[in-house]
Amino acid sequence: LSNPSPRQRQRRGKLTGRRIAPYLFLIPNMTVFGLFTIWPAINGFRISLYDSNNGRTFEAVGFKNYRRIVDDPRFSDVVRNTLTFVIAYVAVVTILATILAMLLDAQRRGRGPLRAAYFLPVVISPVVVGLVWSWMFTRRTGIVNSVLEDIGLGQPRWLLDKNLAMIVVIAAAVWTHVGFYAMILLAGLKGIPGHLYEAARIDGAGTLQRIRRITLPLLRPTTMVVIVLGTINGFQAFDYVYTLTGGGPVGGTTFIVQYIFERAFQSPIQYGLASAAGVMFFLVVFTATLINYLFGRRKEAI
Amino acid sequence: MGRRSRTLAAVVAGGLVAGVLGFAGVAPAGAGTTEPPPGTAAASGIDFSAYEGESLTYVYFTDGPDEAATRSLIERFTEETGVEVDLQLVPFADLETTLQAQLSGGDVPDVARVTNWRPISDAIIDMSEYFGADYFEQFLPGFAATGMGPNGELFAVPSDLTMNGPFINVDAFNEAGVDIPTEWTWDDLVAAAKEVQEANDMEFAVAIDKSGHRVSTVLSQFGTVLLGPDGVALDPAKAEAAITTLTDLMAEDAMSADFWLETGSRYAGANEMFLAGAVPVYISGNWQVGQFAENATFEWAAVPNPCAERCGGFPGGKYMVAFSGSDNPELAAGFVEWMNQSANQAELVAGASWLPTRNDLIEQGIEYPDRSEDMAVFIADVAETPEDTYLSLGSPAFGPSATALVEEIAFVVAGENDPAGAVETLVERMEQALEDVGG
């Protein structure tokens, strides 16, 4: 690069200069982001130290909201449900998305339509996903039990048994998101140089060996992205769960976002309590993401 | 809290409001509401001529046919007074948060139709300022009392009433040769329902909406209510008997246990089950009359509530409130009063399939355009309904307590608790709810 001319140097100080222009481009986005995400988030922390049942009058209560949540036996159930769901969901969706991505990568014919088919659930409204799955798994009239009964397997209590309901919710979550993660992993697969496989083949490595020694290690950064996104996504699960099981049976699939929602928007409105739960939720997701990230980076370094 | 910390709290609160609005998904506006000076007091009625050309906003939630009836009455109001009314429809689930957001944003509506006015009691007009301290004497006493503030303020005008009660599938009853009940006990109801179910090979005998409000009907019939003016009013033994009746029915598959469990903490109505002919007796309320008249493929009828210790149903009351932050508080109050004048309320409730709240209308009855005899059954039950049901419904903690009732029954249905344990937890949760609402 040649040295900047005096005129170019002068332009650096102006609005169109390199030092200022990027920030100008960022301002519109950051204003909206700051006003509707950062500022409310900061206020969320502040509200968690207050009691308010109308959003208009606030009474400072210190850490009372936090103490109440920690002492709430329902909250410990909610945390346990959430962790069970997130761990199972992330594990299943990562494995399935990886397999799906490899299959799609190897697919020669009909690649486009297949990808579209797997991606389709991502664009369906989560509320609709929840409703459709709830109709499918209703014990007496659901299509799943109609089929199972016809082949002599009886009528499992899908949405009436806590464990079965959890499995249905995890399955719905995986079905919804697997296509999205598979696309991310597919992009990762495309980035692995073909000559590595060629060399391995010449050295006599079988398919499984190639997957284990080349594909999976080189796909690790992308897999980490999927795990981090999946973890965040899992913790945030609400809409389709709410329409699928309503958090039931008897609280068996009530996750943390529903807990927050019910405290904030169902009578009696308790914005302070909801915000405190929101702050705790933020800390959990942040920690989980950080651990994932650090763990992934360490692995990468090895 | 000292003055300084109060000021600090107020300043912080102003900021916090923006946050709350942020996560409520509503664009923030300024903060704080202003206390208007009370308008010129008038002993009866408001002189609307001073407000010709003005307009009012009326925040409203609809249950169906009432919207058209309300619009037509509002049109007449505009014709008579020259005041335009902007009807703002809000889904019932968002009503409270919408009103709170509007109030904190300074975008105060003039009038609203609500079921729970206590969270906004600091922002609504005391009607006695305009219509005298005896204004509420025109309304059903038990219900009117629930619209009053602690110092006798006439805050919420009882504008329409619903009454819970059973419907029966008349065709199925006839097929089974079971008499249509004109009065019956809970034991009669269960026995008749089972007989009809069996004779018609129906899926269930009895259905009730999954709602604490509807189950309160059964509680009242067994002699108790959730709440009263002094807090928890539940009689544990009577509540246990009521809950046991329902959970036993579910245990023997005479009522759908799946229905109670499959939708989690969400409300679920059993109206589709009744319309599908899957159940001969369905406990709901008079608001179903319109849609049954339209959709039922069999003959049906509303029948009197069953009695156990007591008779009668359980009320559902809606109120109209006027906001003190309105641009024209006197006009807002005048509109509420006008809508509830005898002839106007009669027209509205007839069109909306509501029950009247005025003593004169309850006494003389309402001529409904359709299914008048079914509506008469509900009106007759208004007279039978004990007054403490209104007090329970009027408690600020009724909403969360009703939710707790549904959830605790679910634990019994799922086999994780027994009725006595459910009542015990219910009482604890109601006490917490009372604390949360500041009651």
Side-chain angles (χ1 to χ4, degrees):
Chain A
L1 283 173
S2 59
N3 281 331
S5 68
R7 179 174 288 181
Q8 273 174 321
R9 231 179 261 142
Q10 228 176 19
R11 276 185 55 186
R12 276 188 182 167
K14 290 188 179 169
L15 287 182
T16 48
R18 279 190 194 171
R19 286 171 75 173
I20 298 173
Y23 296 102
L24 287 180
F25 282 114
L26 282 174
I27 280 176
N29 187 7
M30 291 315 279
T31 311
V32 174
F33 184 63
L35 206 59
F36 293 107
T37 305
I38 302 293
W39 179 235
I42 292 170
N43 277 318
F45 281 90
R46 290 161 65 186
I47 295 173
S48 72
L49 303 175
Y50 288 78
D51 235 0
S52 173
N53 53 19
N54 55 19
R56 288 179 285 131
T57 50
F58 291 81
E59 187 194 340
V61 292
F63 287 94
K64 189 188 118 190
N65 290 325
Y66 290 93
R67 277 198 301 275
R68 200 171 143 188
I69 289 173
V70 172
D71 291 342
D72 184 358
R74 288 152 62 93
F75 186 71
S76 50
D77 287 346
V78 165
V79 169
R80 197 177 50 240
N81 292 340
T82 312
L83 290 179
T84 311
F85 171 76
V86 170
I87 292 168
Y89 162 71
V90 171
V92 175
V93 89
T94 310
I95 293 169
L96 283 186
T98 311
I99 295 171
L100 186 62
M102 287 195 280
L103 290 176
L104 283 173
D105 194 37
Q107 183 72 22
R108 298 264 166 256
R109 260 191 246 167
R111 218 187 251 193
L114 269 178
R115 276 189 215 179
Y118 286 110
F119 195 76
L120 193 64
V122 180
V123 296
I124 298 176
S125 155
V127 172
V128 175
V129 170
L131 284 175
V132 169
W133 278 68
S134 78
W135 294 330
M136 279 165 53
F137 283 90
T138 300
R139 181 164 72 117
R140 286 178 194 257
T141 52
I143 189 168
V144 173
N145 275 5
S146 300
V147 172
L148 289 180
E149 200 172 25
D150 282 350
I151 57 174
L153 292 175
Q155 290 189 327
R157 296 160 52 83
W158 291 114
L159 305 179
L160 301 168
D161 176 279
K162 282 183 179 180
N163 295 328
L164 286 178
M166 180 66 89
I167 290 172
V168 172
V169 170
I170 293 167
V174 169
W175 177 79
T176 311
H177 298 127
V178 72
F180 174 70
Y181 296 124
M183 291 307 136
I184 297 179
L185 288 162
L186 195 57
L189 286 176
K190 299 276 177 224
I192 300 175
H195 63 82
L196 293 178
Y197 290 108
E198 223 169 287
R201 212 172 284 128
I202 291 165
D203 289 345
T207 311
L208 279 180
Q209 267 178 317
R210 286 202 299 274
I211 290 174
R212 212 157 57 85
R213 301 280 180 184
I214 301 173
T215 312
L216 292 182
L218 289 177
L219 201 57
R220 186 168 291 141
T222 322
T223 312
M224 277 323 295
V225 171
V226 168
I227 290 176
V228 168
L229 287 179
T231 308
I232 295 172
N233 226 326
F235 275 114
Q236 288 177 340
F238 169 61
D239 29 25
Y240 56 91
V241 185
Y242 194 65
T243 48
L244 172 49
T245 64
V250 289
T253 56
T254 304
F255 302 147
I256 196 156
V257 177
Q258 185 177 338
Y259 182 88
I260 295 170
F261 169 80
E262 285 175 352
R263 298 292 157 303
F265 300 117
Q266 281 183 3
S267 182
I269 288 176
Q270 293 166 285
Y271 288 132
L273 203 65
S275 300
V279 169
M280 291 167 77
F281 175 49
F282 164 76
L283 291 177
V284 171
V285 176
F286 184 74
T287 313
T289 310
L290 200 66
I291 291 171
N292 268 338
Y293 173 74
L294 293 176
F295 187 70
R297 218 172 51 158
R298 199 174 59 87
K299 276 267 177 99
E300 244 173 85
I302 296 167
Chain B
M1 197 190 266
R3 174 173 291 202
R4 184 180 290 177
S5 55
R6 232 186 339 237
T7 317
L8 179 69
V11 170
V12 172
L16 298 182
V17 162
V20 172
L21 291 177
F23 78 78
V26 180
T33 52
T34 47
E35 278 296 321
T40 341
S44 64
I46 296 286
D47 178 15
F48 289 112
S49 60
Y51 295 103
E52 213 178 320
E54 294 280 346
S55 66
L56 282 169
T57 50
Y58 178 16
V59 174
Y60 185 86
F61 66 92
T62 174
D63 313 308
D66 53 273
E67 187 193 334
T70 300
R71 283 192 191 281
S72 115
L73 187 58
I74 284 174
E75 241 168 68
R76 195 150 68 72
F77 175 78
T78 304
E79 275 166 29
E80 281 185 21
T81 62
V83 177
E84 293 286 333
V85 179
D86 173 21
L87 195 67
Q88 296 184 343
L89 289 185
V90 173
F92 176 67
D94 298 339
L95 181 67
E96 191 180 332
T97 39
T98 302
L99 287 175
Q100 295 290 12
Q102 286 184 320
L103 288 171
S104 56
D107 176 23
V108 186
D110 297 293
V111 177
R113 174 175 181 246
V114 297
T115 55
N116 182 8
W117 55 271
R118 282 171 212 266
I120 49 169
S121 60
D122 57 335
I124 54 183
I125 293 174
D126 175 3
M127 295 286 170
S128 68
E129 285 177 29
Y130 299 99
F131 312 112
D134 58 354
Y135 173 51
F136 273 18
E137 284 173 16
Q138 305 170 9
F139 300 97
L140 202 64
F143 188 9
T146 64
M148 288 163 65
N151 304 312
E153 300 95 333
L154 310 183
F155 280 136
V157 178
S159 57
D160 59 273
L161 185 66
T162 58
M163 182 50 57
N164 295 354
F167 293 89
I168 61 162
N169 183 327
V170 174
D171 284 350
F173 266 67
N174 289 340
E175 178 72 31
V178 175
D179 291 337
I180 307 297
T182 48
E183 55 175 49
W184 52 353
T185 64
W186 254 97
D187 290 340
D188 297 339
L189 181 149
V190 171
K194 284 181 178 169
E195 200 181 329
V196 177
Q197 176 202 7
E198 212 165 290
N200 291 278
D201 199 18
M202 289 169 129
E203 216 172 333
F204 301 104
V206 184
I208 183 169
D209 295 327
K210 199 187 86 181
S211 137
H213 175 252
R214 244 68 89 219
V215 175
S216 289
T217 321
V218 187
L219 285 182
S220 168
Q221 286 152 358
F222 278 78
T224 188
V225 289
L226 291 175
L227 298 150
D230 305 319
V232 175
L234 196 70
D235 179 314
K238 292 172 178 173
E240 195 186 325
I243 291 175
T244 307
T245 303
L246 296 179
T247 51
D248 279 357
L249 283 170
M250 288 193 237
E252 55 190 278
D253 222 18
M255 244 173 98
S256 173
D258 293 16
F259 173 72
W260 209 269
L261 292 177
E262 271 177 347
T263 42
S265 64
R266 278 183 298 134
Y267 163 82
N271 49 337
E272 285 176 17
M273 218 187 278
F274 181 70
L275 281 175
V279 61
V281 178
Y282 167 42
I283 298 168
S284 187
N286 66 284
W287 58 93
Q288 304 283 6
V289 167
Q291 65 133 334
F292 285 175
E294 206 166 294
N295 300 321
T297 53
F298 50 84
E299 201 190 322
W300 57 274
V303 292
N305 273 288
C307 308
E309 279 206 14
R310 318 193 291 189
C311 299
F314 193 84
K318 318 287 187 315
Y319 308 88
M320 280 180 75
V321 294
F323 290 91
S324 43
S326 148
D327 288 337
N328 299 307
E330 187 188 53
L331 175 61
F335 173 68
V336 173
E337 195 269 346
W338 188 92
M339 292 289 281
N340 290 289
Q341 285 171 8
S342 194
N344 301 338
Q345 193 184 74
E347 179 186 326
L348 182 56
V349 297
S353 290
W354 285 339
L355 305 177
T357 61
R358 296 181 58 91
N359 294 322
D360 52 355
L361 295 180
I362 292 171
E363 204 171 300
Q364 73 192 50
I366 296 279
E367 204 42 56
Y368 291 93
D370 202 15
R371 308 287 307 199
S372 222
E373 66 284 13
D374 294 293
M375 295 300 286
V377 171
F378 287 105
I379 295 185
D381 259 342
V382 173
E384 298 284 329
T385 300
E387 214 158 275
D388 61 359
T389 53
Y390 291 95
L391 296 173
S392 181
L393 178 73
S395 164
F398 182 78
S401 300
T403 306
L405 175 60
V406 167
E407 289 176 359
E408 293 310 321
I409 291 176
F411 279 107
V412 181
V413 177
E416 293 192 14
N417 205 348
D418 56 27
V423 171
E424 206 174 299
T425 324
L426 176 62
V427 170
E428 282 167 23
R429 288 181 65 179
M430 286 199 290
E431 272 158 5
Q432 180 65 58
L434 280 162
E435 201 180 300
D436 290 338
V437 296

